Each structure stands twice: as C-alpha cells, then as structure tokens.
Amino acid sequence: MVRLDHAPALLAFERENRAYFAAVIPDRGDEFFTEFDMRHAQLLALQAAGTDYFHLLVAEGGEVVGRVNLAEVAGGSAELGYRIAQKAAGQGLATAAVRKVRELAATEYGLTKLRARVTLDNPASRKVLEHNGFVAVGELTLNGKPAISYICELR
C-alpha cells in the first residue's frame, strides 16, 4: 500500500509519464503536480479510512513503475484503476498487478465485486481486465470517448 515516503517516487512516476498517460486518459492538470504533497496526504487519509486502497509497483531501485488503485470502496465493491509507466508497458506488469490487487480485494479487503471502465481506444487495458476475469457489462462515454464498463465478481 502507498506510504508517506513513497511521495517523491510517485511524483516522479506521474511527471515522467504525464504525456503518455494523457494520450488515453484525461491529464491530471498542473494543479495535481503543484499540490502533490497535499493530494498525497489526502490519499493516505482515504486509505486509512478504508474507502480507498492504493498500491504501487516499485522497481528494485525504488522507482515507481506502476500503480493500481481501488477507489470508492463501499457495499463490498470498488472501482479499479491502474497506470503502468511507458518504459514498463507491454511486459505483463499490469496483468500481474491487477491479478494481485484482485486477490487482495477478495482476501484482505473483503470485497465481492470490482468495477472498471476503459475507453475503446485503449485495447491494452481492456485485455488486462479480460485476462483478470472482468466481463464487459455495458457501454458508456468516458471523458468524451466511447468506453466499456466492466465487472469482476470476486466470489
């Protein structure tokens, strides 16, 4: 789970991959970076309250290469989201990380269902979800783009 001391590496990860992420999901905006320490403290408070769980993929040198989040935890379900660094993409990290967090959701957090949403122009993320037992349940518009809503039953 994310800790206070992860802040510098997490900020570096977000900065280094900003343009890469913005190609498929909305940019976080300059405010995210200028107010990062405050935002990080808020995330830690949400995590401590059990309403969100944040996980990092950290390389041996301490560099963050990905993150997998469970947000809006309530009623036995949560929204899954993830990001993998551009230089680490295509190596199976997202599939493995989502699998691990899916297991934690069922065993450690007592969740029974995960939700996710992915735009149609992000086939790699759709494959990650499908390889992890997520099933498409509907279409929607996400950030102005056609998208698919997924559900994963954990029990």
Side-chain angles (χ1 to χ4, degrees), residues 49-103:
T51 60
D52 298 80
Y53 299 105
F54 306 104
H55 307 85
L56 298 180
L57 284 74
V58 181
E60 285 190 26
E63 175 185 22
V64 173
V65 294
R67 63 189 303 175
V68 182
N69 301 327
L70 295 175
E72 302 172 14
V73 176
S77 74
E79 180 84 16
L80 174 88
Y82 50 92
R83 296 171 172 233
I84 300 296
Q86 183 173 15
K87 65 183 170 187
Q91 300 174 24
L93 288 177
T95 300
V98 168
R99 181 179 306 116
K100 178 64 177 170
V101 170
R102 189 190 68 203
E103 291 168 8

Side-chain angles (χ1 to χ4, degrees), residues 31-54:
E31 190 174 279
F32 173 84
F33 297 94
T34 58
E35 298 179 359
F36 184 82
D37 288 339
M38 181 182 69
R39 176 73 178 134
H40 190 67
Q42 291 170 340
L43 295 180
L44 292 174
L46 291 170
Q47 186 170 264
T51 60
D52 298 80
Y53 299 105
F54 306 104

